[in-house]
Each structure stands twice: as structure tokens, then as C-alpha cells.
Amino acid sequence: MSGWLRRWRWRSIRSIRREFGARIDRFKRTSKGQVRASLLADPAVAEAVANHARETGESETEAWRRVRTYVEEIVPSFNLISYYRLGYGVARVLIPLLFKVSVGYEARAALDAIPRDSVVLYLMNHRSNADYVVVAYVLSGRVALSYAVGEWARVWPLEAVFKSFGSYFVRRRYREPLYHRVLERYVQLITRNGVTQGVFLEGGLTRDGRLREPKLGLLDYIVRVKAEKGFDRPFHIIPVALNFDRVLEDRSLLREQQPESERLGRAEQLREVVSYVFKVSVRFLLRRARRYGRACVNFGAPLDVDAWLAERPGVLNLPREERLPRLKELADEVMGRLALIMPVTPVPLAATALLRHPSDHITRGEWEEILDGLRTTLRNAGAHVVGEEKTSSEILDRAVIMLTLRRVVHPEGDGFRVDRGQDPLLRYYANSIAHFFAAEMAIPAE
């Protein structure tokens, strides 16, 4: 690197630190070569190679070649300038164009009480691929997250971009033990060194709008660092709940629940995406674009992993088949906290009201009356309603804009005509807050 380029880079880094003041974990700045060497020298990886060769008949030379491929695929190369100048710069332009982003609730006193030397893991629900950007955007002044990213992003140029942001890739449905051993040791290496991670506990996007069952693989890898001798840093999990008035890929997710014969082919899907991007781009150029409503992020009170483990001595030393059911208790506790802090944005609330009124016509007065009743239930449940200080009429005004743009409702006479063919879409949004109404079964089954 030439002298002027080195000086420019150093000035940029100092400028970023002054501007954002975010926590940058020291280990994230370790070169990819050093991390790669550490993994290849790991005795646990060597043992996994020997086991793989013995069980499959593959030579150890070929097994090590596999390991190098996995290491190259998994290990990122964090770049502070890329994260903040490219990533945050793009997010700062695009996110406000698409959504009105807000943090609706934070357990601020509890979050501030987390010790500075604590390892922190953000566990989130997963509604949209925009989740990565939205959470990083709202946390930009506090911490640079390292995400676990699915294979969907392993295409050019997304792979290079995500790796420069410090994210690592996970093969979700790849069962080979050797791969998982390499992934496990990488995740444990960065956890041991205090890297702040963001993990989607459900393992993938919700297809019906409801919270999914938690996936335990990554959580097991990360938490088991606490069983290592000499690791005595405190460990906290922060639940993060996200909700949207518009999930960009909602119709595609709903189609995945249809029979294979009814789904769009790849060519049709590609045409649909290209058409959507073209139309949105034209609207922005003509200044006729509207934002897609609210994107809200809530941060719950941290869960002290050390205290949780102290109540279950020896749980991390159990065999895997006995350990995972116990760790599911931890995952279920986090999912319960996520459910309690789930943001209630206008569209899910208005969608719930429409599903309670099965007619294909609803007057504005009827709609507002149902909203009033729903808000009473939410208030009693301690839910965090975006715009709680507003009247039901004002909340409805915001929701109607989105539902009209989606052609779910059409102004008609003294009210609205409802396209009941779009009830699955309404149910998708209503399901995100359905747990608050579970006792009264507010959302009818299909």
C-alpha cells in the first residue's frame, strides 16, 4: 500500500470513529489471513478432518482441501471504511426513502448496565432481508454487528460486500459434520474474542408472518464458549424485535406456501422483480414514490447468560442430544421476550381489524371502532404500539395509504371495499401481532 493511500485510510478511520463513536470489537480488525491460520491450526479441526477421512474413505489431503474451501467461504474481512462509508452511506440514503424507521422501545437502563467487557449477542426475529440493513442502521452509532448470513447472499457483489461488513456465511441445510465443525470453531473463535454478533434466531424468514420455532445450531455453538476453561467474560443476549408496514418480499414468501404447481417459475419471478424495480425507480425519478410506512425496531431487556447457566449447572457439558432440549429453554425464553416487545405498526393493526370484519365492505366508523377495541387489548397486554399517542383515526390514516397502494382496500361511498382475495396478505401482517390476541382468537384460521 502506497504512503498516500495509507495516510488516506488512516484519516478515514479516525474520521469514522469521531463521527460515529461506535464500539468496534478489536478482533474484527484481525486480518483474514490470521483468522484463517488460527482455524487451520485448531486441533478440533484436525480431529474433524481425521474423522471425516475415516468415515467417508476420502483422503486427509482432500479433506483438508475441503476445510480450506469452507474457511475461505466463512471467514470475512471486515473493513471499517466499507461498513460505515459504503454500508451506512447507502443505508442512510435508501432506508429513509423506503421506510420511516424508528426505535419504538428500549430497555435503556438495563442495556446501559451491561458490563463493558461483556460478550453481547443480538438475537432477532426475521421478517425481511431488509432486517440486516435496518438493524445495522439503527445501531450504527453504538456497535458494528457481525451477522450470520444465509446462502442467498453468496452472489456477486453481495458476497464481497457482506464480508467487508464483517458478516460470515452459513450453509443452512448442509449436513456434513466436517463443515459444521469448521463453522462451529470459527463462531466460537470470534465469540471468545468478544465480537458482537447478530443472529436471526428463527434461522430464516417467516413465511406466514408468525414467529417461527427457534433454530439452535448457532446458539449452541456460541453459548458453549462459556464451558471453556479460562473464559470468564460476562455474556448477555439482547432480544431485538422488528416489524414493518410493508415487507418487500411478502408476496413471494406467501407463494412459497402454495403447491409447487401453483408457484411462479424462475423466469416469471425474475420478470416480476425486474418489473417491480423498474416501476419503483420510475416513481422515484418522477418524485411520485411513497414510503412503505413504518419499520420499527425494539430492544428488550438483556438476558444474563451466566445467571441462566448458574441455575442449570453442567448443562453445557451434556451430550448434544441431551443439551439441545435444555438450550431450547433458553431460545424459547428469548422468543417469548421478542413476542412481548414486538412493535405494533399501523398496517398489522388495521389488517387485524379487517379480518375481524369479514364483509367485503367496511365503513370508516366501523373500522375505527374495531381499532379502538384492539388497542384496548394491546394496552392491557403491555404491547408497544407505534403511535400510541395518536387517535385510532390517525393510525388508520397511515394504514389506509399502504393498503390502498397494495389494492387491498378501495374507497367506496362512506367506507371501503375490501378485496377478500387478498386475505392471505392481510393475515400475513396480522399474524405478526396475533399473539397479543391469542386469548380471544382474534385472527380466524384459513
Side-chain angles (χ1 to χ4, degrees):
M1 183 183 296
S2 63
W4 72 266
L5 187 58
R6 188 181 295 109
R7 289 192 296 273
W8 172 84
R9 182 173 178 271
W10 179 241
R11 284 196 298 269
S12 297
I13 290 173
R14 285 193 300 177
S15 172
I16 289 168
R17 288 175 175 167
R18 285 195 303 268
E19 182 178 346
F20 292 94
R23 168 180 166 177
I24 309 295
D25 302 311
R26 182 176 299 175
F27 189 78
K28 290 185 76 165
R29 300 196 294 273
T30 303
S31 73
K32 183 175 181 176
Q34 288 178 274
V35 177
R36 185 193 298 118
S38 179
L39 285 173
L40 293 175
D42 189 332
V45 173
E47 181 183 0
V49 166
N51 291 338
H52 177 84
R54 184 170 56 253
E55 293 169 5
T56 66
E58 191 174 73
S59 69
E60 288 202 10
T61 300
E62 184 59 34
W64 276 112
R65 189 176 292 115
R66 283 180 179 270
V67 167
R68 291 186 183 92
T69 298
Y70 298 151
V71 169
E72 185 64 29
E73 174 186 310
I74 293 168
V75 178
S77 50
F78 177 73
N79 185 297
L80 188 67
I81 297 172
S82 177
Y83 190 96
Y84 280 103
R85 291 294 179 238
L86 173 61
Y88 180 74
V90 171
R92 185 170 55 183
V93 172
L94 287 183
I95 291 296
L97 285 175
L98 296 173
F99 303 102
K100 182 175 182 180
V101 180
S102 63
V103 176
Y105 167 77
E106 290 183 284
R108 181 41 48 200
L111 293 171
D112 287 342
I114 295 175
R116 287 285 299 174
D117 63 338
S118 180
V119 174
V120 176
L121 173 64
Y122 288 83
L123 289 183
M124 301 165 276
N125 67 301
H126 202 6
R127 289 192 63 76
S128 169
N129 286 316
D131 295 343
Y132 296 92
V133 184
V134 170
V135 175
Y137 177 73
V138 300
L139 286 174
S140 58
R142 305 179 203 173
V143 66
L145 281 184
S146 287
Y147 279 116
V149 182
E151 288 183 282
W152 65 270
R154 289 201 63 222
V155 294
W156 187 89
L158 289 180
E159 181 173 10
V161 170
F162 272 106
K163 282 192 171 185
S164 72
F165 294 167
S167 299
Y168 58 93
F169 289 90
V170 177
R171 298 187 185 187
R172 298 289 184 189
R173 296 177 180 84
Y174 194 69
R175 302 301 180 191
E176 186 189 81
L178 180 59
Y179 167 77
H180 282 279
R181 190 58 164 164
V182 175
L183 175 64
E184 175 186 7
R185 295 306 289 170
Y186 171 73
V187 170
Q188 291 174 343
L189 174 66
I190 63 174
T191 303
R192 191 183 308 121
N193 284 279
V195 173
T196 305
Q197 298 175 65
V199 173
F200 295 101
L201 188 51
E202 298 163 289
L205 292 167
T206 174
R207 265 58 182 178
D208 62 3
R210 295 182 184 274
L211 291 172
R212 303 173 69 183
E213 281 292 305
K215 301 293 185 181
L216 304 177
L218 282 177
L219 183 64
D220 179 45
Y221 295 165
I222 294 169
V223 173
R224 275 197 296 122
V225 172
K226 290 298 299 182
E228 295 181 0
K229 291 182 179 179
F231 184 82
D232 57 0
R233 295 178 66 168
F235 190 171
H236 289 83
I237 290 173
I238 299 178
V240 183
L242 302 97
N243 210 354
F244 296 81
D245 276 336
R246 168 76 185 273
V247 172
L248 300 179
E249 56 271 68
D250 51 12
R251 295 191 192 278
S252 297
L253 294 170
L254 286 171
R255 285 196 198 104
E256 292 186 24
Q257 301 181 80
Q258 297 175 341
E260 190 76 32
S261 59
E262 297 179 19
R263 299 181 191 175
L264 294 178
R266 286 190 177 274
E268 291 173 296
Q269 291 181 40
L270 180 59
R271 279 197 296 269
E272 188 176 76
V273 171
V274 171
S275 174
Y276 171 77
V277 172
F278 176 75
K279 289 176 183 176
V280 170
S281 300
V282 170
R283 289 193 198 111
F284 276 118
L285 289 172
L286 296 177
R287 299 186 178 181
R288 293 179 181 174
R290 287 179 178 269
R291 285 196 293 193
Y292 294 147
R294 284 280 189 165
C296 188
V297 186
N298 286 348
F299 296 89
L303 189 152
D304 188 333
V305 176
D306 298 83
W308 189 89
L309 291 172
E311 296 174 358
R312 299 160 179 81
V315 68
L316 296 183
N317 296 317
L318 295 171
R320 188 174 189 273
E321 61 274 11
E322 298 177 37
R323 183 177 69 247
L324 289 186
R326 303 299 303 278
L327 281 177
K328 189 174 185 303
E329 298 172 13
L330 174 62
D332 287 342
E333 185 170 345
V334 175
M335 292 301 291
R337 294 189 182 198
L338 281 174
L340 289 174
I341 62 170
M342 181 63 63
V344 181
T345 60
V347 167
L349 186 55
T352 303
L354 287 179
L355 291 170
R356 283 195 166 202
H357 189 277
S359 169
D360 60 3
H361 186 274
I362 185 170
T363 67
R364 186 177 178 98
E366 289 172 328
W367 206 348
E368 289 181 15
E369 184 178 351
I370 299 173
L371 286 177
D372 285 337
L374 293 175
R375 294 179 71 190
T376 298
T377 302
L378 290 168
R379 201 172 297 115
N380 293 337
H384 301 284
V385 179
V386 177
E388 173 60 34
E389 72 285 354
K390 299 183 182 298
T391 66
S392 293
S393 178
E394 290 172 316
I395 289 177
L396 184 56
D397 285 340
R398 295 175 180 273
V400 164
I401 292 172
M402 288 305 307
L403 294 173
T404 303
L405 287 172
R406 307 298 302 279
R407 296 184 173 87
V408 177
V409 298
H410 307 266
E412 184 178 86
D414 62 344
F416 302 89
R417 178 167 53 85
V418 184
D419 179 0
R420 287 299 167 190
Q422 299 212 53
D423 274 7
L425 186 67
L426 289 174
R427 191 171 289 108
Y428 171 84
Y429 284 96
N431 279 343
S432 68
I433 60 172
H435 53 280
F436 292 118
F437 307 103
E440 52 189 81
M441 300 182 67
I443 309 300
E446 287 184 299

